[in-house]
Amino acid sequence: MRSHRVTRGIDRAPHRSLFRASGFHPEELKRPLVGIVNSANEIVPGHIHLNSIAEAVKTGVKISGGTPIEFSTIAICDGIAMNHAGMHYSLASREIVADSIELMVEAHCFDALVLITNCDKITPGMMMAAARLKLPSIIISGGPMQAGTQKGSKIDLSTVFEGVGAVQSGRISAEELTDMENKACPGCGSCAGMFTANSMNCMAEALGLALPGNGTIPAVSADRIQLAKEAGIRIMDLLKDGIGADKILVREAFDNALAVDMALGCSTNTLLHLTALAHECGFEIDLGKVNEISRRTPQLCLLSPAGTDRIEDLHRAGGVTAVIAELIEAGLLNPKLLTVTGKRVNENAAGTVVIDRSVIYSVKKPRRPQGGLAVLFGNLAPGGAVVKQGAVSAAMQQFTGSARVFESEESAVEAIKSGFIQEGCVIVIRYEGPRGGPGMREMLAPTSVLAGMGLDDKVALITDGRFSGATKGASIGHVSPEAAAGGVISLIKDGDLISIDLPGHNLELKVTKDELQKRKETWQAPEPKINHGYLKRYARQVSSAGSGAVLTETQNKY
């Protein structure tokens, strides 16, 4: 046991003295030490209840003969950080989450980990730490928020963001927006649609790093507490059997996760985070292969923001396990991979049936013939760009428009609200990438205002930044190389024609190579928007979105 380094032997008497000062009984130090990583705080709705999850996990560990020891890490609420300077820090916090866990675990010699998470960057950060440490590890989320209701219809956080645009265009009153604001988020949990938080919690389940039900059991359900206790019990089995996270996070597990991703219609951010997680595991995700998986994997669910169903509906219909069972039956998943249950993927799914076909469609009669995400290539994005194609209207699947270029999210939002943006144009927001942002801000504000104004099926948006999982419409993000690295997106001028072809996976700037070369010769990298503190260091080391926006050992020129 790793923990013997700090609990056994004469020369560890000082160490045991410190454990005693923390209240540990000598009998507890004879047992394996299980780190309980708790990202609870009092500001993130998805995390305000995680102390109860932690207590349940600790109960499970004790039942199975381990000693649970809890420690904390940070958590940022993307919704609260949205459309102001705070969003620069969100993606960048993923690395802090992973690094802080590594520091605590290596310094204190834990034997195994249960990682309690829920929201956007915390879940991938915790999975990255598990991959890096290679210890027996289980992810347990706090569960999704229930949907709100207004006038008999389900609503969620994205509804409120879209409501802002609806007020701007006169489609609803300010009083209606206030009513919506008060009803959209009824309590604790990760926001109710298939946004980034729920997408990544479902991905943890699809990868085999979380127990069945992790992605969909509601935050307020007693089943969530039962699942947390089960996680505490199962971590001891993994420790006994010597099953570390590296035995589960094999290359084929990522193919499985991507297939589930396509079937569910998850957030574009899943590609960013799965790519970063694969990097921690020592291999790369080929973005071209993502399109291959998307082509052969139909979209079975149409969850908010693409449709009206929420995560609670997916859970009621059978959850991620039912989707996995559908894909196994169609031969679209590797059924023999190991999971944290100690069983194989097909064993976990055995006997599972779809309860509601209006939520989970069949592979033979899917919602859409291809997966929910697509990666676009072309002269505008030689390193790739990502779109949630399952949330794009038929009218925008192939589209050519005139560029309207903005150097920041704020200037684009102001132009949209002022009525400057007309049907048929392509909004380009640049210098918002991992380095140029810095921090690759999520942009729910411009997309939701477009939707609220009824323009989401008439206007496209392209950025080297990224989008919230709550985004819908022809919103293409993660353009690589980014503008700050001198990518072609930095050379676009107002009026340039941009061609979007989702079925053909193509994104083209209709400007000649000679003209682009002339523009390149006069281009100069701008000064970073934030040039102090952590983000100054982050901008100097972060890689492109196409490689997961991970920190590298080499410094950028900034």
Side-chain angles (χ1 to χ4, degrees):
M1 291 290 175
R2 283 164 45 97
S3 60
H4 291 178
R5 303 174 192 172
V6 294
T7 61
R8 299 289 176 93
I10 293 174
D11 57 348
R12 294 301 183 256
H15 304 67
R16 291 192 295 274
S17 180
L18 291 169
F19 275 107
R20 180 180 178 84
S22 296
F24 287 94
H25 191 279
E27 288 300 316
E28 291 179 284
L29 301 185
K30 294 178 182 179
R31 301 172 182 177
L33 303 185
V34 179
I36 312 299
V37 188
N38 186 0
S39 55
N41 60 44
E42 294 184 344
I43 192 168
V44 185
H47 292 244
I48 58 173
H49 64 304
L50 293 189
N51 287 334
S52 63
I53 301 294
E55 289 304 315
V57 170
K58 288 189 278 189
T59 297
V61 171
K62 291 174 183 176
I63 287 172
S64 291
T67 297
I69 302 178
E70 183 180 342
F71 64 90
S72 62
T73 189
I74 62 171
I76 286 176
C77 178
D78 277 26
I80 296 174
M82 195 72 67
N83 69 27
H84 60 87
M87 181 48 73
H88 289 288
Y89 294 85
S90 177
L91 178 60
S93 74
R94 184 188 68 184
E95 318 310 309
I96 296 291
V97 170
D99 290 351
S100 66
I101 294 169
E102 177 192 0
L103 292 171
M104 288 293 289
V105 171
E106 296 288 32
H108 300 112
C109 301
F110 290 104
D111 297 306
L113 296 171
V114 179
L115 303 117
I116 304 169
T117 180
N118 219 13
C119 291
D120 301 57
K121 308 309 156 304
I122 302 89
T123 298
M126 287 190 174
M127 288 197 287
M128 289 165 65
R132 190 181 301 175
L133 293 163
K134 298 181 173 60
L135 294 177
S137 303
I138 295 179
I139 296 286
I140 172 72
S141 80
M145 184 186 295
Q146 292 182 304
T149 57
Q150 185 185 41
K151 298 179 181 178
S153 297
K154 289 181 179 178
I155 60 173
D156 54 37
L157 182 66
S158 69
T159 318
V160 187
F161 273 99
E162 291 176 15
V164 174
V167 171
Q168 292 283 339
S169 62
R171 299 172 74 188
I172 67 171
S173 67
E175 291 74 21
E176 288 175 292
L177 177 61
T178 299
D179 183 58
M180 186 187 296
E181 167 191 337
N182 292 335
K183 294 175 177 175
C185 300
C188 67
S190 48
C191 297
M194 189 53 83
F195 313 145
T196 305
N198 291 323
S199 292
M200 290 310 301
N201 290 329
C202 289
M203 288 299 93
E205 194 174 331
L207 285 163
L209 203 59
L211 297 173
N214 178 73
T216 61
I217 296 174
V220 296
S221 171
D223 288 344
R224 177 60 57 179
I225 298 298
Q226 293 286 340
L227 190 73
K229 290 179 180 177
E230 185 70 14
I233 292 169
R234 290 296 172 192
I235 194 64
M236 297 304 296
D237 292 336
L238 294 178
L239 180 59
K240 181 181 68 175
D241 295 336
I243 301 174
D246 55 319
K247 301 292 198 310
I248 292 168
L249 293 175
V250 296
R251 188 182 296 270
E252 294 84 355
F254 286 81
D255 291 345
N256 277 4
L258 285 168
V260 174
D261 191 340
M262 299 305 167
L264 290 173
C266 291
S267 165
T268 53
N269 285 317
T270 56
L271 292 189
L272 191 70
H273 299 317
L274 289 174
T275 301
L277 179 58
H279 176 79
E280 292 287 353
C281 296
F283 49 83
E284 296 180 357
I285 289 179
D286 180 353
L287 293 180
K289 189 176 183 181
V290 171
N291 284 335
E292 292 177 18
I293 294 173
S294 182
R295 272 191 289 265
R296 68 173 181 253
T297 310
Q299 186 171 343
L300 306 184
C301 304
L302 206 60
L303 300 157
S304 175
T308 58
D309 293 328
R310 268 61 179 191
I311 303 301
E312 63 194 48
D313 299 307
L314 175 60
H315 181 66
R316 175 179 48 80
V320 175
T321 305
V323 173
I324 287 173
E326 285 285 308
L327 297 178
I328 289 174
E329 186 176 355
L332 296 171
L333 285 185
N334 185 332
K336 297 299 183 181
L337 301 183
L338 189 61
T339 74
V340 291
T341 64
K343 299 177 181 179
R344 307 288 167 174
V345 173
N346 60 330
E347 293 176 307
N348 290 339
T352 302
V353 296
V354 175
I355 298 168
D356 188 346
R357 284 291 181 190
S358 71
V359 178
I360 303 174
Y361 280 41
S362 70
V363 171
K364 293 180 180 178
K365 294 183 178 180
R367 283 282 196 174
R368 298 180 186 273
Q370 293 190 359
L373 298 181
V375 181
L376 309 183
F377 297 96
N379 73 339
L380 187 45
V386 183
V387 62
K388 193 170 186 174
Q389 64 178 354
V392 180
S393 69
M396 298 296 291
Q397 293 283 320
Q398 292 178 306
F399 179 79
T400 298
S402 179
R404 294 291 180 269
V405 183
F406 301 93
E407 311 299 317
S408 69
E409 176 189 4
E410 289 85 354
S411 58
V413 171
E414 189 58 37
I416 296 168
K417 288 182 177 179
S418 68
F420 177 74
I421 300 301
Q422 302 297 316
E423 292 184 21
C425 72
V426 179
I427 300 169
V428 177
I429 304 177
R430 61 192 181 193
Y431 298 106
E432 290 286 7
R435 191 197 310 184
M440 200 181 183
R441 288 193 287 179
E442 276 189 350
M443 298 186 200
L444 183 53
T447 58
S448 58
V449 171
L450 285 172
M453 297 175 72
L455 291 172
D456 56 304
D457 61 349
K458 301 176 181 67
V459 170
L461 197 159
I462 295 173
T463 182
D464 53 5
R466 61 195 177 92
F467 297 109
S468 163
T471 293
K472 62 182 180 181
S475 302
I476 300 167
H478 305 197
V479 170
S480 298
E482 63 174 289
V488 172
I489 190 172
S490 69
L491 308 178
I492 302 173
K493 293 184 177 180
D494 280 341
D496 287 346
L497 289 181
I498 296 174
S499 173
I500 299 166
D501 181 2
L502 301 193
H505 301 126
N506 191 252
L507 183 63
E508 289 286 330
L509 176 63
K510 298 296 185 179
V511 174
T512 66
K513 290 183 180 180
D514 288 344
E515 174 61 21
L516 288 177
Q517 183 57 39
K518 289 178 183 177
R519 295 181 188 182
K520 183 73 173 177
E521 290 170 359
T522 59
W523 175 82
Q524 289 185 328
E527 288 296 313
K529 296 174 185 175
I530 297 177
N531 200 27
H532 62 270
Y534 172 60
L535 286 183
K536 180 178 181 178
R537 301 195 305 274
Y538 179 84
R540 286 178 172 175
Q541 289 188 275
V542 69
S543 72
S544 72
S547 56
V550 297
L551 297 185
T552 64
E553 294 181 4
T554 58
Q555 287 202 344
N556 296 316
K557 290 183 180 179
Y558 260 178

